[in-house]
């Protein structure tokens, strides 16, 4: 790619594109061929302070803007996003290696996140309470927090970037956003462009991009800034733990949406066709790089013969390669580090006796980021892949002898994000649902699903707090008790 084709962007602070205080840029690398896709300003802790200044200054007028005026901005943004859809899909393929089918899902869902944010603006925002004082009014108002810090990952950028800002903004907060170094455009600046075109006032959303080497310092400054009242973080459990500790030090609430080790439980009486379809999609959508991806297929042993050969045949046929090809399903991993992580898990398992039913974890592709789909079985607890989040195009099949054993294995993990249960017996499926510990679970479906009306979030080391639905609104507002006594309190004791 000619240098002139490389996108160059500054930080977005107070409605202006500005250079980083360091004067430096960070390269944003295209995963498929390793070329530079964009150069973005490498923000610093001082830039976080400037962004928080702008967000704080914008808060009074944004938080008091009339509901219809604010709602129009989100509805227009949904239309702008749709209008820019093809450009966004091309950007996703280039910046993150996403397949066309996953990019389309990202786009459609991002638009719905904006429409749901618009709807949130005209929902009731409080409660009228009982009171012991005759004639008085006692209210629990829901009010915005002030400035919200939003830190997001690269793996479903339009969805996760928009999710980190849409409801926080809609309910009246202003935001300082720090998108992933692997997707600063599609997870940050592209979303800000859409909202700006829709009329979001300057300073309401500020975007500070950064170099990976500075991520710790930039995020620490964001959490420590006294104007920032709440942080939301979507990303790995390791980084989430750092953020949770720092937020606690500063007595700030955090929403942490972290990793998963999601099971697809296939019970004895499951429809094998449905099980195969669900498992192919669940494990290999976005090359397995979704927090909700199926890491583990836990199947009753009586179905193994009906399931495994058909599953493996389908996996072998998945088109792999360049994400610019609309037929590609399994594209590159996000970077060489990601590919090396998956390869090492597969090779460790193979060396310790796992069976590889297809694939071997070899790294290919022009940039060393492509791994062809891998299906493993005979995986035991001494193998790293047993407990680690794979986050790539590999999945493990665990045959079990009973529903009881399936539940025990599903719960034998530090994570608890999502999962699926396939069964024709609704009673049996509901019993599994009630005993698997996860924030989300689906019957007759696998784990990948999201709707902005639903409470999304994990338990255990998959994090805490919710995006989506009423719980999502509560995450980014606080309750304030207000009383009104029309003519003063009737009696004081002295
Ligand atoms: P990551 O944790 O490496 O990065 C996420 C964010 O953290 C980025 O913005 C990055 O700059 C920042 N960061 C990195 N190092 C940091 C440090 N030392 N201190 C502070 N911040 C730092 O995660 P990723 O690779 O971008 O995303 C993949 C992970 O995210 C997977 O574990 C996946 O399961 C998880 N995820 C969870 C959800 C969910 O909703 N639960 C959704 C998508 C992804």
């Amino acid at each position: 790619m000619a240098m002139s084709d490389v996108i160059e962007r500054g930080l977005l602070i107070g409605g202006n594109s500005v250079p980083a205080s360091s004067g430096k840029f960070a390269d944003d690398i295209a995963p498929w061929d390793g070329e530079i896709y964009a150069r973005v300003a490498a923000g610093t802790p001082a830039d976080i302070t400037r962004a928080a200044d702008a967000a704080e200054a914008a808060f009074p007028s944004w938080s008091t803007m009339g509901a219809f005026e604010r709602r129009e901005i989100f509805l227009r943004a949904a239309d702008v996003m749709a209008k820019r859809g093809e450009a966004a899909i091309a950007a996703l393929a280039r910046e993150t290696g996403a397949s066309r089918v996953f990019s389309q899902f990202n786009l459609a869902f991002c638009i719905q996140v904006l429409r749901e944010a618009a709807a949130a603006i005209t929902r009731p925002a409080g409660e009228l309470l009982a009171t012991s004082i005759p004639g008085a009014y006692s209210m629990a108002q829901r009010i915005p927090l002030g400035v919200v810090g939003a830190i997001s990952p690269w793996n479903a950028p339009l969805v996760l970037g928009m999710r980190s800002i849409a409801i926080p903004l809609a309910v009246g907060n202003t935001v300082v956003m720090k998108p992933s170094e692997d997707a600063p455009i599609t997870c940050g600046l592209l979303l800000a462009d859409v909202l700006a075109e829709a009329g979001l006032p300057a300073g309401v959303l500020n975007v500070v991009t950064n170099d990976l080497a500075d991520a710790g310092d930039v995020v620490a400054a964001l959490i420590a800034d006294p104007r920032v009242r709440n942080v939301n973080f979507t990303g790995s459990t390791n980084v989430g733990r750092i953020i949770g500790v720092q937020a606690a030090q500063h007595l700030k609430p955090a929403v942490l949406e972290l990793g998963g080790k999601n099971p697809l439980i296939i019970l004895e009486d499951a429809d094998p066709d449905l099980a195969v379809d669900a498992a192919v999609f669940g494990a290999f959508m976005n090359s397995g790089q979704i927090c909700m991806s199926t890491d583990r297929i836990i199947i009753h042993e009586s179905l193994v013969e009906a399931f495994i050969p058909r599953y493996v045949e389908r996996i072998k046929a998945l088109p792999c390669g360049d994400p610019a090809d609309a037929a590609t399903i399994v594209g590159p991993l996000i970077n060489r580090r990601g590919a090396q992580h998956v390869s090492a898990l597969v090779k460790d398992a193979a060396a310790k006796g796992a069976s590889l039913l297809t694939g071997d974890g070899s790294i290919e592709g022009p940039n060393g980021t492509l791994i062809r789909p891998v299906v493993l079985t005979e995986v035991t607890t001494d193998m790293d892949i047993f407990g680690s989040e794979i986050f790539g195009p590999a999945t493990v099949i665990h045959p079990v002898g009973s529903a009881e054993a399936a539940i025990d294995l599903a719960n034998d993990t530090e994570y608890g994000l999502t999962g699926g249960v396939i069964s024709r017996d609704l009673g049996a499926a509901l019993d599994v649902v009630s005993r698997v510990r996860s924030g989300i679970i689906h019957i007759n479906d696998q784990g990948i699903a999201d709707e902005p009306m639903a409470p999304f979030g994990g338990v255990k080391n998959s994090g805490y707090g919710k995006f989506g639905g009423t719980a999502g609104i509560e995450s980014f507002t606080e309750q304030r008790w207000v009383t009104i006594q029309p003519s003063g309190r009737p009696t004081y004791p002295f």
Side-chain angles (χ1 to χ4, degrees):
M1 180 183 275
M3 214 49 197
S4 57
D5 294 332
V6 174
I7 297 166
E8 196 168 294
R9 296 287 304 253
L11 310 175
L12 177 68
I13 297 183
N16 299 311
S17 178
V18 299
S21 60
S22 63
K24 292 186 187 149
F25 283 88
D27 291 342
D28 176 17
I29 304 294
W32 175 245
D33 56 20
E35 289 181 356
I36 299 174
Y37 168 69
R39 294 178 74 230
V40 296
T44 63
D47 296 318
I48 289 287
T49 304
R50 292 155 72 199
D53 290 344
E56 176 80 351
F59 180 71
S61 60
W62 175 246
S63 58
T64 53
M65 181 184 273
F68 292 170
E69 198 184 342
R70 202 190 300 160
R71 185 177 61 177
E72 268 323 297
I73 294 171
F74 287 86
L75 293 173
R76 274 198 302 272
D79 293 341
V80 173
M81 193 73 229
K83 188 184 74 188
R84 294 183 176 206
E86 274 308 316
I89 286 173
L92 280 171
R94 196 77 194 118
E95 190 177 40
T96 69
S99 63
R100 184 166 182 84
V101 62
F102 186 63
S103 299
Q104 284 168 328
F105 163 82
N106 254 265
L107 177 67
F109 188 74
C110 176
I111 292 167
Q112 294 311 328
V113 170
L114 284 162
R115 294 203 190 286
E116 192 63 20
I121 293 167
T122 48
R123 280 204 201 183
E127 298 162 40
L128 198 57
L129 309 174
T131 170
S132 61
I133 303 171
Y137 292 89
S138 178
M139 297 176 286
Q141 287 183 324
R142 282 233 155 252
I143 58 169
L145 304 165
V147 181
V148 168
I151 307 155
S152 43
W154 54 270
N155 70 307
L158 301 185
V159 172
L160 300 175
M162 193 56 89
R163 178 179 87 166
S164 75
I165 59 176
I167 289 292
L169 291 172
V171 297
N173 303 292
T174 54
V175 171
V176 176
M177 178 189 211
K178 194 216 85 61
S180 164
E181 307 78 11
D182 285 311
I185 304 296
T186 52
C187 190
L189 293 162
L190 182 152
L191 307 176
D193 292 345
V194 165
L195 284 158
E197 186 179 332
L200 191 75
V204 172
L205 171 65
N206 305 277
V207 183
V208 177
T209 50
N210 65 291
D211 191 300
L212 180 59
D214 303 325
D217 290 343
V218 168
V219 167
L222 179 62
I223 298 171
D225 191 290
R227 279 79 54 84
V228 173
R229 298 309 319 150
N230 162 301
V231 287
N232 71 73
F233 170 80
T234 304
S236 63
T237 293
N238 283 345
V239 176
R241 188 172 281 113
I242 297 172
I243 286 170
V245 167
Q246 291 181 0
Q249 266 167 350
H250 294 282
L251 301 178
K252 295 179 185 179
V255 173
L256 301 179
E257 299 290 356
L258 312 178
K261 185 79 187 162
N262 311 300
L264 175 64
I265 299 174
I266 303 171
L267 294 181
E268 198 170 2
D269 53 11
D271 171 355
D273 291 335
L274 174 58
V276 169
D277 287 347
V280 172
F281 175 83
F284 293 97
M285 177 67 149
N286 202 32
S287 311
Q289 299 172 107
I290 307 180
C291 56
M292 303 170 277
S293 293
T294 300
D295 251 50
R296 303 178 290 157
I297 298 166
I298 303 176
I299 184 168
H300 193 274
E301 55 201 16
S302 64
L303 281 182
V304 159
E305 261 177 53
F307 178 84
I308 289 185
R310 286 158 67 193
Y311 183 61
V312 172
E313 191 187 328
R314 288 275 299 278
I315 300 308
K316 281 182 173 164
L318 292 176
C320 303
D322 188 346
D325 180 345
T328 295
I329 297 295
V330 175
L333 285 110
I334 185 66
N335 51 36
R336 291 182 192 162
R337 224 173 40 252
Q340 285 154 11
H341 161 76
V342 176
S343 178
L345 288 178
V346 172
K347 291 194 185 295
D348 170 75
K352 290 175 180 164
S355 293
L356 301 182
L357 303 178
T358 185
D360 62 6
S362 307
I363 297 176
E364 304 175 31
N367 184 36
T369 49
L370 181 69
I371 294 186
R372 292 180 192 279
V374 185
V375 179
L376 302 98
T377 191
E378 291 172 54
V379 165
T380 50
T381 52
D382 58 324
M383 301 173 188
D384 293 341
I385 204 166
F386 183 89
S388 302
E389 183 181 33
I390 301 174
F391 219 62
T395 194
V396 171
I397 301 178
H398 292 286
V400 290
S402 66
E404 205 62 37
I407 293 165
D408 288 347
L409 189 53
N411 285 331
D412 186 8
T413 168
E414 63 176 295
Y415 296 106
L417 186 56
T418 183
V421 186
I422 311 278
S423 175
R424 291 190 182 97
D425 178 346
L426 199 53
L430 283 167
D431 183 51
V432 172
V433 162
S434 70
R435 293 161 66 201
V436 169
R437 289 192 294 279
S438 62
I440 305 165
I441 192 157
H442 306 285
I443 293 179
N444 286 327
D445 200 356
Q446 46 64 57
I448 302 172
D450 201 354
E451 297 195 340
M453 306 79 83
F456 189 102
V459 298
K460 296 160 70 180
N461 287 354
S462 292
Y464 49 76
K466 304 283 181 205
F467 283 109
T470 307
I473 293 172
E474 288 174 2
S475 296
F476 301 108
T477 51
E478 62 195 352
Q479 268 193 326
R480 185 146 189 259
W481 184 35
V482 177
T483 67
I484 305 170
Q485 290 157 48
S487 53
R489 190 163 167 162
T491 53
Y492 290 99
F494 58 88

